[in-house]
C-alpha cells in the first residue's frame, strides 16, 4: 500500500488543483464477519497481519489465525491463567509476541506457542504494546509498570524512578534513533534507550504543544509521527520532535479517545472508544464518521489493520468488521437525495457528475471550498415515467440526453437550460439507447437505427444541428443500435441487437460476422488506444478485434460472468467489466482477470447497460440498481490473486514439520492441508494440485486437504496452487519436496549384498550337497562292504567248518539239541539276509539276533564263553540300533581273544546313562587273526549318519569297552 508524505496531510487548507479530479463523497462498504468459538461470540481486541499476509486476532478467548474461512485457535503449550490478549507484535525474525491482560507474555513461532518465562518474572499489569529496535531489543509497554526491554534473555524495567514521566504506557513505537523507542503515556511521550546495560530516558511533556496530556496511540508516516489522544483527536510530531501540529479535524474534535490510527491510501482511519470510525481526507478534514448505523452498528473500536489486498479490518467491541476501504465505495444518498436505479452516469469536463435516478436527472458538484451541492432537472413530465438511458457531452458545452420514448434533449451545462432536439422527426418520440460523437459529429442510436448530425455555430452564436444521411444511416435504419463508438482513425463502430457489429469507414458499412465475430447482440464497443477494438456481447463474454481476427474471453479464459452490463478502461488500460454480482478486471498486459466481488455487498447490484464513467482523477463510477459504485484503480490490491500456503503436512494424521524431507517406507500415508489466502472473497478460491512422482497432471479440487495413502518408495513433489477462476497460469504455488526411502530389502546395497549372499549360499549348498552325496555314496559303499564283510565273516569256511563240526558233535551226543542248533543257525542267516538293507532295526530284534549268534558260539566254546545282557525292558522296547551292531561287537570279542578254561571270556551288554555298553575282558590270542579293521569303523560311520552323538572305544589293557549311543524310536 502506498503512503503519501504527511506534508500533504499537514496542508490544512489544500484543495486539489482542478475540479475535474474531485469525486463526490462516498462511504466505504462494511461487512460483518461472524466470529464464534465454542458456540459463543468472540470479542476481538487486537489484529495483526504478519509478514506472509496471515491475519492474527487477539481476543478474550486467546489467539486465533484466520484463513478466510475458519478462525483457528492457537493452543498454548503452557497453561494460561487468562486468555484475554491485549497486544500483538511480530519481530524481524518472524516471531509473534502476544501480551495478555494479566501481564503474561507468550511467543509463537514455527507453530509453537508457549509462555515467555524470564528469570526476572513478568509484569503484573496489562501488556499494551511491543516494539523492536534495530539492535534486536524487544520492548514492552505496560499499563502501570512503565516499559520493559528484553536484552540477552533478561528483562529490564523503565519506570518513573528511571525518568519516565508516567508508568501508564498506552503504546510504544520506534523513535528517530534506531535503538530507541517512544512510549506514549498519561503525561506525553518518552524516548527510552538501553545500551550496554545503561538506561536513558528523555521526556516530551504536554507543555511542548500536545493538545492533550494523555497520548493513547502512535502511528508512523514517513518521517513524522501521528499521535492519538484521549480527548483532543490527533496531532503530528515532526521528525525532530521540535514541532507539534494540530490538523483541522482535531480543532473541534468531538469523537472522544483515539484507540488506533492507520493510513488507508491518502486517508487516515481512526478507531475511537465511543464514536465508531472517523475518517479524515488528505487535507486533514473530516470525511466520514460512522457509528451505530444500519450499516455500521458499532461505537467502540479496539483496533484497525489492513491486509495485503487493501481491506481494512475493524475490531469492534461487539463484532468484527471488514471493509474494502477506499478501493471500493458506494453512494446511495447525497444531501438526502436517494441515488438508486441508475441508468447512466457521466462526469463532464467541468468535474460535474450527472446521473439518472428514478426517471430524473441529478447533477452533483463540489464548490471551491469543498462543499457538495446537488441539482435536479425535470426533463420529461414525472407522470410519464420516462427513463434517461444515455448522456453525452459535446464540444460546445451541451449535455445530450437520450430517453426511452421521448426522444433527445440538449441541456446547456452552464445555464441549465433544456431544449428538445426536433430537427429530426424520427427522433421526436424515439427510444434512444446510445449517443456518441467525435468533434462536431454526433451519432444517435436506438430502436430506429442510427442517425448522424453535425454541429456548427451560426453568426449569432447559436448552435445549429444538421442531420445527414450516409451508407450507415441508410443500412441501419431498421436495426436496434445499442452502442456507437468512433475510433482514432474516424471509423465508426455500431453494436446492434441480433445483427452483430458493423464498422463504417465513411463510405462503406461492413458487418463483422464475416471476420469471425460470433455474437448477435453487442452492448458496447471501446478502443484501447493500442489499435484493438473491444466488444461486449450478450451472454458470450467479450471480444478483442485486432483488425484481422477476433479473440473471445469467456468463462474458460477466466471471466466470471458472461453477461457484462458495462465496460470501461481505466487510465492504465485495464478493462473493468461490470455484471450483476460485481466487477471483473482484465489486465491486458498479463491477460489475467481479477475480481471485485462480495457475496453480501455486491450480489444482485444489477448495473444498467453502459452505465459506467471515469472522473478526472481516474476513479471509475458504475450506476447500479442499488447505488453508485466507486472504484479507485490506483488503490486496488497489488496482490491480484490468492497466495497459496501449505498449512500442514501429516503422516497417518499426525502433523510433521516441513523441515523433514526424508521418510521411511512405513511412513507412506501423507495428508496435505493447503489454503489460498484471499480475504476479499474466500469463497471464490479454487485449487489445483499434483504429486510429481505419482502423477504429472494438475487435478482440480474444492477441498483444502488431500490424502495420499500407501505411497511407494521414491521421490515426490507435492504442489498446490490457487486461483479465483479456471485460469491458473499466473497462480501462486506452494510445494513440498520429500522422499520415501525403500525398505532395506529393496535398497541397492541390500540387493547387492543379498545377491552375493544368495550366490554364496547357493555355492555352499551345492558344495554341501555334493559332499553329502559323496558321503552317502561312501556310506552306502561302506554299508555294502560291511554287509559283505559280515557275510564273509559268517559264511567263510572257518565259520562253516566250526559250525558243522559243532553240529556233528551235537548230533552224536544229542539229536534234539542238534535240531535246535540247526534252527538257530538257519534263523541267524535268515536275519542277516533280512537286515542287510535296513539302516535301523528295533533293539529288541538286535537282541534276538545276538542271542542266536551267541547260542551258536556257546555250543562251540561252552562254559568258557559268557554273555550277560543287562538291559531293562523300556530300553529294549523303545530303542533302535543299526543291524548287527551288537553281534559284530560280540564277534570281535570272540575273534580277538582266546577262549579256554584258563582264559574264559565274559561279555556284558548293559545301559549306562544314554549309552549301551558292550564290554569284554581281554585275553589276547598268542597268534592274532588278520583283521580288515572295517567293523568298528563302519559302526562309527553309520552312527555318524544317524546322530550327533559319537561312539566311544576304550581299551584300558584289562577290558575292551565300546559305548554306543541309544537311539530312541521317534
Amino acid at each position: 500500500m502506498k503512503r503519501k508524505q504527511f506534508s500533504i496531510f499537514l496542508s490544512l487548507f489544500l484543495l486539489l488543483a482542478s475540479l475535474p479530479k474531485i469525486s463526490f463523497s462516498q462511504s466505504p462498504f462494511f461487512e460483518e464477519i461472524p466470529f464464534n468459538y465454542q458456540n459463543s461470540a468472540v470479542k476481538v481486541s487486537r489484529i495483526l497481519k504478519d509478514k506472509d499476509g496471515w491475519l492474527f486476532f487477539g481476543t478474550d478467548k486467546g489467539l486465533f489465525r484466520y484463513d478466510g474461512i475458519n478462525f483457528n485457535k492457537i493452543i498454548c503449550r503452557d497453561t494460561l491463567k487468562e486468555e484475554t490478549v491485549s497486544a500483538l507484535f511480530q519481530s524481524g525474525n518472524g516471531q509473534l509476541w502476544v501480551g495478555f491482560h494479566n501481564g503474561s507474555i507468550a511467543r509463537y513461532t514455527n507453530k509453537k506457542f508457549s509462555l515467555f518465562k524470564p528469570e526476572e518474572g513478568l509484569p503484573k499489569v496489562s501488556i499494551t504494546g511491543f516494539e523492536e529496535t534495530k539492535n534486536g531489543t524487544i520492548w514492552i509497554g505496560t499499563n502501570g509498570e512503565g516499559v520493559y526491554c528484553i536484552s540477552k534473555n533478561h528483562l529490564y524495567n523503565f519506570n518513573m524512578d528511571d525518568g519516565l514521566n508516567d508508568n501508564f504506557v498506552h503504546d510504544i513505537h520506534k523513535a528517530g534513533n534506531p535503538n530507541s523507542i517512544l512510549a506514549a503515556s498519561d503525561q506525553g511521550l518518552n524516548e527510552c534507550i538501553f545500551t550496554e546495560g545503561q538506561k536513558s530516558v528523555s521526556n516530551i511533556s504536554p507543555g511542548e504543544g500536545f493538545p492533550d496530556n494523555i497520548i493513547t496511540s502512535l502511528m508512523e508516516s514517513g518521517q513524522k509521527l501521528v499521535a492519538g489522544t484521549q480527548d483532543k483527536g490527533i496531532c503530528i510530531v515532526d521528525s525532530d520532535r521540535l514541532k507539534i501540529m494540530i490538523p483541522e479535524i482535531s480543532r473541534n474534535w468531538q469523537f472522544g479517545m483515539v484507540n488506533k490510527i492507520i493510513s488507508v491510501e491518502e486517508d487516515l482511519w481512526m478507531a475511537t472508544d465511543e464514536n465508531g470510525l472517523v475518517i479524515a481526507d488528505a487535507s486533514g478534514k473530516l470525511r466520514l464518521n460512522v457509528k451505530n448505523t444500519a450499516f455500521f452498528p458499532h461505537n467502540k473500536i479496539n483496533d484497525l489493520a489492513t491486509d495485503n489486498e487493501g481491506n481494512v479490518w475493524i475490531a469492534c467491541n461487539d463484532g468484527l468488521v471488514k471493509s474494502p476501504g477506499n478501493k471500493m465505495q458506494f453512494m446511495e444518498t447525497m444531501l438526502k437525495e436517494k441515488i438508486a436505479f441508475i441508468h447512466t452516469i457521466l462526469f463532464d469536463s467541468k468535474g460535474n457528475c450527472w446521473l439518472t435516478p428514478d426517471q430524473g436527472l441529478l447533477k452533483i458538484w463540489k464548490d471551491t471550498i469543498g462543499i457538495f451541492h446537488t441539482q435536479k432537472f425535470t426533463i420529461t413530465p414525472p407522470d410519464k415515467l420516462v427513463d434517461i438511458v444515455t448522456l453525452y457531452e459535446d464540444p460546445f458545452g451541451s449535455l445530450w440526453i437520450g430517453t426511452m420514448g421521448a426522444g433527445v434533449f440538449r441541456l446547456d451545462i452552464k445555464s441549465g437550460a433544456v431544449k428538445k432536439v426536433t430537427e429530426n422527426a424520427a427522433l421526436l418520440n424515439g427510444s434512444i439507447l446510445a449517443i456518441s460523437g467525435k468533434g462536431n459529429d454526433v451519432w444517435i442510436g436506438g430502436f430506429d437505427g442510427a442517425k448522424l448530425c453535425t454541429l456548427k455555430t451560426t453568426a449569432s452564436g447559436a448552435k445549429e444541428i444538421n442531420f445527414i444521411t450516409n451508407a450507415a444511416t441508410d443500412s441501419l435504419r431498421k436495426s436496434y443500435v445499442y452502442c456507437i463508438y468512433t475510433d482514432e482513425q474516424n471509423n465508426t463502430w455500431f453494436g446492434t441487437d441480433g445483427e452483430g457489429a458493423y464498422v463504417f469507414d465513411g463510405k462503406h458499412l461492413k458487418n463483422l460476422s464475416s471476420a469471425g465475430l460470433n455474437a448477435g447482440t453487442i452492448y458496447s464497443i471501446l478502443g484501447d488506444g493500442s489499435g484493438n477494438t473491444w466488444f461486449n456481447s450478450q451472454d458470450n463474454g467479450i471480444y478483442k478485434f485486432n483488425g484481422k481476427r477476433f479473440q473471445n474471453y469467456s468463462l474458460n479464459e477466466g471471466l466470471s460472468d458472461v453477461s457484462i452490463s458495462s465496460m470501461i478502461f481505466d487510465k492504465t488500460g485495464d478493462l473493468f467489466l461490470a455484471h450483476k454480482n460485481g466487477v471483473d478486471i482484465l489486465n491486458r498486459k498479463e491477460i489475467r482477470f481479477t475480481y471485485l466481488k462480495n457475496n453480501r455487498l455486491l450480489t444482485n447490484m444489477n448495473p444498467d447497460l453502459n452505465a459506467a464513467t471515469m472522473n478526472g482523477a481516474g476513479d471509475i463510477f458504475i450506476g447500479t440498481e442499488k447505488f453508485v459504485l466507486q472504484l479507485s484503480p490506483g488503490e486496488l490490491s497489488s496482490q491480484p490473486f490468492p497466495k497459496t500456503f501449505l498449512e500442514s503436512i501429516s503422516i497417518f494424521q499426525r502433523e510433521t514439520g516441513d523441515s523433514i524431507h526424508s521418510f521411511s517406507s512405513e511412513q507412506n500415508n501423507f495428508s496435505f492441508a493447503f489454503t489460498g489466502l484471499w480475504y476479499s472473497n474466500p469463497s471464490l478460491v479454487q485449487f489445483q494440485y499434483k504429486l510429481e512422482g505419482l502423477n504429472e497432471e494438475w487435478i482440480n479440487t474444492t477441498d483444502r486437504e488431500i490424502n495420499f495413502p500407501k505411497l511407494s518408495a521414491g521421490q515426490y513433489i507435492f504442489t498446490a496452487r490457487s486461483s479465483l477462476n479456471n485460469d491458473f497460469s499466473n497462480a501462486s504455488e506452494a510445494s513440498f519436496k520429500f522422499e520415501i526411502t525403500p525398505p532395506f530389502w529393496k535398497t541397492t546395497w541390500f540387493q547387492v549384498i543379498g545377491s552375493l549372499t544368495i550366490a554364496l549360499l547357493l555355492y555352499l549348498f551345492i558344495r554341501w550337497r555334493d559332499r553329502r552325496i559323496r558321503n552317502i555314496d561312501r556310506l552306502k559303499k561302506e554299508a555294502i562292504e560291511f554287509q559283505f564283510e559280515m557275510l564273509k565273516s559268517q559264511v567263510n569256511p572257518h565259520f562253516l567248518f566250526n559250525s558243522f563240526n559243532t553240529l556233528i558233535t551235537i548230533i552224536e551226543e544229542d539229536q534234539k539239541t542238534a535240531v535246535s542248533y540247526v534252527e538257530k543257525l538257519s534263523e541267524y542267516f535268515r536275519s542277516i539276509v533280512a537286515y542287510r538293507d535296513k539302516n535301523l532295526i528295533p533293539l529288541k530284534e538286535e537282541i534276538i539276533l545276538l542271542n542266536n549268534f551267541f547260542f551258536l558260539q556257546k555250543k562251540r566254546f561252552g562254559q568258557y564263553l559268557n554273555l550277560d545282557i543287562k538291559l531293562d525292558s523300556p530300553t529294549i522296547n523303545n530303542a533302535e540300533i543299526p543291524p548287527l551292531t551288537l553281534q559284530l561287537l560280540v564277534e570281535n570279542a570272540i575273534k580277538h581273544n582266546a577262549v579256554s578254561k584258563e582264559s574264559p571270556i565274559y561279555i556284558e551288554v548293559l545301559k549306562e546313562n544314554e549309552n549301551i555298553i558292550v564290554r569284554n575282558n581281554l585275553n589276547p590270542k598268542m597268534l592274532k587273526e588278520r583283521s580288515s579293521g572295517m567293523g568298528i569303523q563302519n559302526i562309527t560311520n553309520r552312527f555318524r549318519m544317524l546322530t550327533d552323538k559319537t561312539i566311544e572305544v576304550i581299551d584300558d589293557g584289562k577290558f575292551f569297552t565300546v559305548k554306543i549311543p541309544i537311539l530312541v524310536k521317534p
Side-chain angles (χ1 to χ4, degrees), residues 37 43 74 185 192 204 395 407 588 644 650 725 728 814 905 921 962:
Y37 180 69
K43 182 184 295 185
I74 299 174
S185 73
C192 303
I204 308 174
R588 292 192 300 111
T644 309
S650 301
N725 52 40
F728 286 85
D814 187 350
I905 293 299
N921 59 316
V962 179

Side-chain angles (χ1 to χ4, degrees), residues 815-880:
Q815 294 183 357
K816 185 177 180 180
T817 302
V819 171
S820 177
Y821 185 87
V822 171
E823 291 176 347
K824 293 292 186 181
L825 183 62
S826 174
E827 184 176 352
Y828 173 70
F829 281 110
R830 188 182 305 111
S831 299
I832 291 174
V833 174
Y835 295 152
R836 66 183 178 180
D837 294 326
K838 293 184 178 182
N839 291 323
L840 290 171
I841 63 173
L843 179 60
K844 184 176 181 180
E845 294 182 13
E846 177 72 8
I847 296 297
I848 294 172
L849 176 65
L850 178 60
N851 286 330
N852 290 335
F853 175 76
F854 185 75
F855 176 83
L856 297 174
Q857 298 296 336
K858 184 71 173 175
K859 291 300 183 181
R860 178 184 173 193
F861 293 106
Q863 61 183 347
Y864 307 117
L865 179 63
N866 299 284
L867 175 64
D868 186 6
I869 299 176
K870 301 178 181 180
L871 298 176
D872 54 31
S873 295
T875 301
I876 293 174
N877 293 327
N878 296 322
E880 292 182 321

Side-chain angles (χ1 to χ4, degrees), residues 60-118:
D60 61 337
K61 293 179 173 59
L63 180 65
F64 291 81
R65 191 182 73 166
Y66 185 46
D67 61 10
I69 301 293
N70 299 307
F71 291 91
N72 301 300
K73 184 172 182 179
I74 299 174
I75 305 300
C76 188
R77 294 182 171 185
D78 304 304
T79 301
L80 295 175
K81 296 180 180 179
E82 182 179 349
E83 292 191 296
T84 301
V85 176
S86 56
L88 281 178
F89 177 75
Q90 185 176 34
S91 57
N93 61 4
Q95 185 170 246
L96 258 64
W97 290 82
V98 185
F100 294 90
H101 185 70
N102 66 347
S104 297
I105 298 173
R107 294 178 290 186
Y108 178 68
T109 183
N110 296 325
K111 296 186 178 181
K112 297 177 182 178
F113 189 34
S114 58
L115 286 173
F116 174 56
K117 300 175 181 179

Side-chain angles (χ1 to χ4, degrees), residues 246-281:
I246 311 299
E248 181 176 325
I249 192 174
S250 298
R251 294 180 183 180
N252 188 26
W253 183 264
Q254 299 176 356
F255 306 109
M257 184 166 70
V258 178
N259 290 330
K260 185 65 178 285
I261 312 165
I262 64 170
S263 177
V264 180
E265 293 301 329
E266 297 181 2
D267 290 349
L268 281 184
W269 288 41
M270 290 161 277
T272 72
D273 202 57
E274 298 177 352
N275 288 280
L277 180 66
V278 177
I279 301 176
D281 63 16

Side-chain angles (χ1 to χ4, degrees), residues 558-587:
L559 195 65
S560 69
D561 195 316
V562 294
S563 298
I564 303 300
S565 299
S566 300
M567 67 179 188
I568 186 171
F569 286 103
D570 70 1
K571 288 189 172 183
T572 66
D574 289 345
L575 184 58
F576 284 64
L577 304 163
H579 50 81
K580 65 179 181 179
N581 293 318
V583 179
D584 291 5
I585 306 170
L586 174 61
N587 183 314

Side-chain angles (χ1 to χ4, degrees), residues 452-639:
L452 172 63
C453 65
T454 61
L455 306 175
K456 67 177 182 177
T457 304
T458 64
S460 62
K463 306 300 185 296
E464 185 178 282
I465 300 175
N466 295 307
F467 281 86
I468 59 177
T469 60
N470 54 34
T473 59
D474 289 342
S475 299
L476 296 174
R477 64 178 180 270
K478 294 183 179 180
S479 302
Y480 278 24
V481 177
Y482 276 113
C483 59
I484 305 172
Y485 163 69
T486 303
D487 63 21
E488 295 176 353
Q489 287 73 37
N490 294 319
N491 298 309
T492 303
W493 306 73
F494 303 90
T496 71
D497 185 2
E499 301 173 26
Y502 292 85
V503 60
F504 178 59
D505 61 4
K507 294 182 179 181
H508 305 96
L509 183 70
K510 178 183 178 182
N511 187 279
L512 296 174
S513 59
S514 61
L517 179 61
N518 299 319
T521 299
I522 303 298
Y523 289 141
S524 50
I525 304 174
L526 293 175
D528 61 12
S530 300
N532 302 307
T533 307
W534 295 76
F535 300 80
N536 170 28
S537 69
Q538 181 187 35
D539 300 330
N540 200 30
I542 59 174
Y543 289 84
K544 181 181 76 171
F545 183 55
N546 64 4
K548 295 181 179 180
R549 65 182 184 88
F550 282 88
Q551 181 176 357
N552 179 232
Y553 294 88
S554 189
L555 297 178
N556 291 336
E557 288 72 33
L559 195 65
S560 69
D561 195 316
V562 294
S563 298
I564 303 300
S565 299
S566 300
M567 67 179 188
I568 186 171
F569 286 103
D570 70 1
K571 288 189 172 183
T572 66
D574 289 345
L575 184 58
F576 284 64
L577 304 163
H579 50 81
K580 65 179 181 179
N581 293 318
V583 179
D584 291 5
I585 306 170
L586 174 61
N587 183 314
R588 292 192 300 111
K589 294 180 181 179
E590 300 179 8
I591 312 299
R592 182 190 70 234
F593 282 95
T594 55
Y595 311 93
L596 295 176
K597 289 186 176 182
N598 189 292
N599 293 338
R600 300 178 186 178
L601 306 179
L602 299 183
T603 299
N604 295 323
M605 68 177 187
N606 299 324
D608 212 330
L609 290 179
N610 299 319
T613 188
M614 182 169 61
N615 69 0
D619 295 332
I620 291 173
F621 295 80
I622 300 170
T624 78
E625 184 179 289
K626 294 182 177 181
F627 40 65
V628 172
L629 178 66
Q630 177 183 342
L631 306 176
S632 299
E635 300 182 10
L636 294 178
S637 172
S638 59
Q639 178 185 309

Side-chain angles (χ1 to χ4, degrees), residues 91-155:
S91 57
N93 61 4
Q95 185 170 246
L96 258 64
W97 290 82
V98 185
F100 294 90
H101 185 70
N102 66 347
S104 297
I105 298 173
R107 294 178 290 186
Y108 178 68
T109 183
N110 296 325
K111 296 186 178 181
K112 297 177 182 178
F113 189 34
S114 58
L115 286 173
F116 174 56
K117 300 175 181 179
E119 294 180 3
E120 296 80 10
L122 291 170
K124 305 300 182 184
V125 295
S126 177
I127 305 299
T128 57
F130 296 93
E131 188 55 89
E132 181 181 25
T133 50
K134 187 176 181 180
N135 58 10
T137 300
I138 298 295
W139 294 79
I140 306 164
T142 73
N143 191 25
E145 294 184 9
V147 175
Y148 288 84
C149 71
I150 303 172
S151 180
K152 297 180 180 179
N153 293 321
H154 290 282
L155 197 63

